[in-house]
Amino acid sequence: MTPRIRPLPLDQIRPATTALLVIDMQRDFVEEGAPCEARGALDIVQRVNALAAWARGHGLPVVFTQEMHRADRCDFGIELEFEPLHCLEGSRGAEMVDGVRIEPQDHRIFTKRRYDCFLGTDLDLLLRCKRVENLICCGVCTNICVLSTVLTARNLDYRVLLPVDAVAGTSPELHDAAILCMSNAFAYVTESAAVMQLFG
């Protein structure tokens, strides 16, 4: 099966109502050999930077999230039944990976304790205060945090654009499966070049 590709609803996507969300480009997910490595994540760093630069150039809010767990591990819940220890506050692994460019005007979400960028954070409040209706999502991991976030965004009535060449999953198979699922009813599957052609 191949992902469902819909034409972007260009009449609905305007700079004033669109934001870029960069999900968890942290060492524990992006670096080779990291405990929760997203395969090929280092290869998307420059694409993420290009999307962020394009977004800033058009006045779009750019939001970076970082998964972060308390050092005493009290807020992992059952997550450690499924994944190894990762992204502890103050650890090197919780830092953004080298090469990701963040500017002073960008927004940061540091209180992300779960896969879903919306759960327990002020992301929805931030986006609604910015009058955002369209959310361009990139980052890692396609089949975990990206998938969880896109599903919630869609259920909150955000129109999601997903540039598939700017996300990376824990394996090629899981990446492809997540893209297939999101393309059905949760996101407009596209590529970064098409996104950066928006708004002329």
Side-chain angles (χ1 to χ4, degrees), residues 130-196:
K130 293 283 189 180
R131 304 295 189 264
V132 170
E133 299 173 5
N134 308 296
L135 194 59
I136 303 162
C137 292
C138 62
V140 296
C141 298
T142 316
N143 52 299
I144 304 175
C145 293
V146 175
L147 175 65
S148 297
T149 300
V150 167
L151 268 57
T152 296
R154 169 63 181 80
N155 283 313
L156 290 172
D157 277 329
Y158 292 102
R159 185 178 293 105
V160 178
L161 279 63
L162 185 71
V164 295
D165 58 339
V167 292
T170 54
S171 74
E173 295 80 10
L174 289 170
H175 168 87
D176 289 346
I179 295 294
L180 182 64
C181 289
M182 287 186 279
S183 75
N184 184 51
F186 294 97
Y188 287 89
V189 168
T190 184
E191 295 189 355
S192 56
V195 168
M196 291 187 287

Side-chain angles (χ1 to χ4, degrees), residues 8-196:
L8 297 180
L10 300 179
D11 58 327
Q12 301 292 329
I13 304 171
R14 303 179 302 279
T17 57
T18 304
L20 176 70
L21 180 65
V22 182
I23 300 172
D24 297 357
M25 292 294 289
Q26 297 161 260
R27 296 183 187 277
D28 272 352
F29 301 121
V30 178
E31 289 184 338
E32 291 184 5
C36 298
E37 180 186 353
R39 307 298 177 183
L42 285 172
D43 297 332
I44 71 169
V45 169
Q46 293 311 314
R47 235 170 261 126
V48 168
N49 285 338
L51 283 166
W54 166 83
R56 295 182 198 107
H58 287 280
L60 277 59
V62 178
V63 184
F64 287 86
T65 70
Q66 284 177 254
E67 185 173 332
M68 204 81 72
H69 294 284
R70 291 179 174 86
D72 66 2
R73 311 180 190 185
C74 68
D75 56 22
F76 270 104
I78 65 169
E79 187 170 337
L80 294 179
E81 296 177 20
F82 297 88
E83 292 186 311
L85 194 67
H86 60 282
C87 295
L88 292 177
E89 286 180 340
S91 71
R92 184 178 183 275
E95 297 170 357
M96 300 298 277
V97 74
D98 290 343
V100 172
R101 292 195 289 273
I102 302 175
E103 300 294 339
Q105 70 269 32
D106 297 337
H107 301 280
R108 310 289 299 274
I109 301 289
F110 294 109
T111 55
K112 180 177 179 284
R113 311 292 185 184
R114 292 292 181 266
Y115 300 143
D116 183 346
C117 293
F118 289 94
L119 186 62
T121 75
D122 65 351
L123 177 60
D124 186 50
L125 178 64
L126 171 63
L127 296 177
R128 295 197 186 279
C129 286
K130 293 283 189 180
R131 304 295 189 264
V132 170
E133 299 173 5
N134 308 296
L135 194 59
I136 303 162
C137 292
C138 62
V140 296
C141 298
T142 316
N143 52 299
I144 304 175
C145 293
V146 175
L147 175 65
S148 297
T149 300
V150 167
L151 268 57
T152 296
R154 169 63 181 80
N155 283 313
L156 290 172
D157 277 329
Y158 292 102
R159 185 178 293 105
V160 178
L161 279 63
L162 185 71
V164 295
D165 58 339
V167 292
T170 54
S171 74
E173 295 80 10
L174 289 170
H175 168 87
D176 289 346
I179 295 294
L180 182 64
C181 289
M182 287 186 279
S183 75
N184 184 51
F186 294 97
Y188 287 89
V189 168
T190 184
E191 295 189 355
S192 56
V195 168
M196 291 187 287

